[in-house]
């Protein structure tokens, strides 16, 4: 299973935010530099992560983003489900015409089950538990910060987890 580029950028942004020093606001440019992705792409990811309640954003001259309590507890599977905009895993329906075998297609059903199994496997992986010191130290040094690595809180209080 392959995740789309938007989900990849969103996951990387959340990894960086989960490792930022407590209370530290990171600008979208900081995050873009940290993940090696153009500002425009990261900006869109930040907007979506905020909509999902995974990050808090403060506007203004000294503004930026920080991970929220829900973001600390979110799993990879949950996030990918929310970011996956494809309704059809096999692209059986397209602007160029639908597949002539689309009615009662067993392949579509099997692919949808496989996609859900992929997400289910990632439901046990908390995003904020993934970054480690050796990985994040050079990333944060490049943008002038020191990483922090902390354990996520209980999932039961996370509305994102229960969504």
């Amino acid at each position: 299973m392959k995740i789309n580029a938007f989900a990849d950028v969103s996951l990387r942004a959340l990894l960086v935010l989960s490792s930022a020093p407590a209370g530290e606001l990171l600008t979208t440019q900081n995050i873009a530099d940290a993940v090696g992705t153009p500002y425009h792409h990261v900006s869109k990811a930040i907007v979506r992560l905020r909509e999902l309640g995974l990050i808090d954003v403060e506007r203004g001259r000294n503004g930026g983003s920080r991970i929220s309590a829900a973001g600390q507890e979110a799993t990879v599977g949950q996030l990918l489900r929310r970011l996956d905009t494809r309704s059809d895993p096999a692209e059986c329906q397209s602007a160029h015409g639908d597949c002539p075998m689309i009615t009662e297609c067993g392949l579509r059903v099997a692919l949808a089950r496989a996609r859900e199994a992929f997400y289910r496997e990632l439901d046990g992986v908390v995003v904020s538990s993934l970054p480690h010191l050796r990985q994040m130290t050079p990333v944060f040094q490049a943008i002038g910060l020191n990483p922090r690595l902390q354990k996520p809180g209980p999932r039961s209080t996370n509305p994102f987890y229960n969504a």
Side-chain angles (χ1 to χ4, degrees), residues 88-90 92 99 101-114:
D88 194 347
C92 301
C99 171
M101 299 181 287
I102 196 168
T103 57
E104 300 183 43
C105 178
L107 178 60
R108 282 179 81 199
V109 173
L111 290 172
R113 280 195 325 259

